[in-house]
Amino acid sequence: MTKKKIHLEYSLDNVSGTVLWNAISTPEGLEKWMADRVTVNERTYTFEWGKDEVKRAELITRRSDSHIRFHWIDDEEPDSYFELRIENNELTGDYSLLVEDTVDEDEVEDMTDLWNIEVESLLRQCGM
């Protein structure tokens, strides 16, 4: 199946960069909006939803207060990843969250909807 990259941008007014970074980069933060449970063993993050769904992701890169990139271990495409990136507008002080994900072509709309729902939950957790 052919993969396609999706790029999503979410404007975040009145959010702390530190709070946002912790929400996207720590197991505790990810548990508040992305998965029911997240554990880390070295560079492997295990995401759990409900009782039966478990996915593992390898941490590819991480730059504090900037971005974090993962590769789903069960994804056969070695170059696929999802990345969460924080950008700060120096003029306004507002932050944006950029999501880049590599998805199957026939799942672009579904994955975009899923990210929209997940980021909405993230915004609630960050007090927005």
Side-chain angles (χ1 to χ4, degrees), residues 6-116:
I6 57 173
H7 305 272
L8 306 168
E9 182 173 354
Y10 303 92
S11 296
L12 311 174
D13 301 327
N14 303 318
V15 67
S16 158
T18 302
V19 169
L20 182 57
W21 175 247
N22 288 333
I24 69 169
S25 67
T26 67
E28 298 80 13
L30 292 164
E31 284 178 354
K32 291 180 179 176
W33 68 278
M34 188 172 178
D36 296 331
R37 180 176 155 93
V38 179
T39 55
V40 179
N41 183 4
E42 295 184 12
R43 297 184 64 84
T44 301
Y45 283 60
T46 302
F47 296 82
E48 298 178 39
W49 297 270
K51 294 179 182 179
D52 299 327
E53 189 173 359
V54 176
K55 286 187 80 169
R56 293 182 8 208
E58 177 186 5
L59 175 65
I60 298 172
T61 61
R62 173 189 170 120
R63 184 169 175 215
S64 290
D65 300 317
S66 173
H67 68 274
I68 189 162
R69 181 182 286 191
F70 297 97
H71 168 75
W72 292 117
I73 292 173
D74 64 353
D75 191 332
E76 295 176 5
E77 177 63 45
D79 295 331
S80 68
Y81 62 88
F82 72 95
E83 179 178 274
L84 306 170
R85 178 176 295 275
I86 298 171
E87 289 193 354
N88 180 256
N89 182 321
E90 293 180 16
L91 294 176
T92 66
D94 293 335
Y95 288 91
S96 293
L97 177 65
L98 307 175
V99 176
E100 187 169 310
D101 198 356
T102 310
V103 301
D104 293 332
E105 271 191 36
D106 64 344
E107 294 183 348
V108 169
E109 186 175 333
D110 289 341
M111 290 307 295
T112 299
D113 291 344
L114 179 61
W115 278 114
N116 289 338

